[in-house]
Amino acid sequence: MIRLVGVLVVIVGLGLRLNPLLVVIVAGFSSGLAGGMGPYEILEAIGTAFVTNRYMSLFILTLPVIGLLERHGLREQAELFIMKLKGATAGRIMLLYMVFRQATSAVGLQLGGHPTFIRPIISPMAEGAVAKGRTLPQSVLDEIRGMAAAAENYGNFFGQLIFIAAGGLLLIKGVMEQAGYSVDLLSMALYAVPTALAALALATVRYTMFDRRMKNLSLESEEESR
């Protein structure tokens, strides 16, 4: 049990709002030393893990590009584009993105994301659909942005396990086989389909209700302006 001291270090460090990277490194050294590893072995294990999973940090390369596009008016253009479309609502935009995200995740394509799609494109489009040229209160903007971020979370989380080579399924398969249970990746992926459909149905209801609430808000604003 002493090897789990790293978990305690993480809990305490994050609870005290210390630097997350420093907390994780200290936790790794704590667990390694408690497990009988030397400093060199711990550094080697950390380096190996970083090299093996270095692809996970590739999204950082997209941030400067997105920042440059935003500086040159990407968000404003997205809002103007939606304002010109009739029948476009915030809920429909976010629901359509969620379907796109689920579909791409189900075939193993990671084309979406908060920094690359939600912040520069989907959120401004949803804001433009609600605003229609008006200035929205900050509370409404925050709600729209939260709903847009939820579309990414719903689509990615409930769609990725449909892909038979998803990391989550491979992890489950490895753990189950180590415990002596034989499992099939295709069977596990099929079990994720009803969950994804249920998430889509619930999201449809939620975004429909959101559109109605935003419509009522628009009507109230028009009455007040009169």
Side-chain angles (χ1 to χ4, degrees):
M1 294 295 291
I2 191 64
R3 298 178 182 178
L4 298 179
V5 67
V7 178
L8 179 62
V9 172
V10 170
I11 294 174
V12 174
L14 296 181
L16 296 175
R17 298 183 180 276
L18 300 178
N19 187 296
L21 179 59
L22 179 61
V23 171
V24 171
I25 292 177
V26 172
F29 269 90
S30 300
S31 294
L33 293 173
M37 297 175 64
Y40 178 79
E41 293 177 296
I42 297 174
L43 287 174
E44 184 179 15
I46 294 175
T48 301
F50 175 79
V51 172
T52 302
N53 300 284
R54 62 186 181 278
Y55 68 91
M56 298 183 67
S57 61
L58 290 178
F59 78 95
I60 297 176
L61 299 177
T62 66
L63 299 183
V65 177
I66 296 301
L68 186 62
L69 290 174
E70 285 191 12
R71 186 174 182 179
H72 286 79
L74 177 62
R75 292 175 60 88
E76 290 76 10
Q77 291 300 320
E79 290 185 23
L80 292 174
F81 173 73
I82 287 300
M83 290 173 62
K84 295 178 181 178
L85 294 180
K86 295 182 179 180
T89 65
R92 291 173 183 173
I93 293 169
M94 292 182 284
L95 183 61
L96 181 62
Y97 173 78
M98 177 190 166
V99 173
F100 162 79
R101 194 69 170 96
Q102 271 196 334
T104 54
S105 296
V107 295
L109 297 177
Q110 297 298 324
L111 299 179
H114 291 284
T116 54
F117 269 79
I118 296 300
R119 175 182 165 82
I121 301 176
I122 303 302
S123 182
M125 291 172 70
E127 293 171 20
V130 175
K132 299 296 184 182
R134 297 179 291 109
T135 300
L136 297 176
Q138 187 61 44
S139 59
V140 176
L141 290 174
D142 290 340
E143 185 177 5
I144 294 173
R145 292 165 185 172
M147 294 291 285
E152 162 67 24
N153 295 338
Y154 295 155
N156 181 40
F157 186 82
F158 293 104
Q160 61 180 321
L161 292 183
I162 301 177
F163 182 52
I164 60 173
L169 288 183
L170 295 175
L171 176 61
I172 295 172
K173 179 177 176 63
V175 172
M176 296 296 288
E177 289 185 346
Q178 286 183 358
Y181 297 95
S182 178
V183 293
D184 180 61
L185 287 173
L186 180 58
S187 298
M188 289 192 295
L190 291 177
Y191 274 108
V193 174
T195 307
L197 293 177
L200 178 59
L202 292 174
T204 301
V205 174
R206 191 179 183 202
Y207 287 121
T208 301
M209 295 175 63
F210 176 77
D211 275 342
R212 291 178 180 176
R213 191 163 66 254
M214 291 297 103
K215 183 178 181 180
N216 293 334
L217 180 65
S218 298
L219 294 176
E220 291 176 1
S221 300
E222 290 178 2
E223 292 178 358
E224 291 178 358
S225 62
R226 294 175 185 175

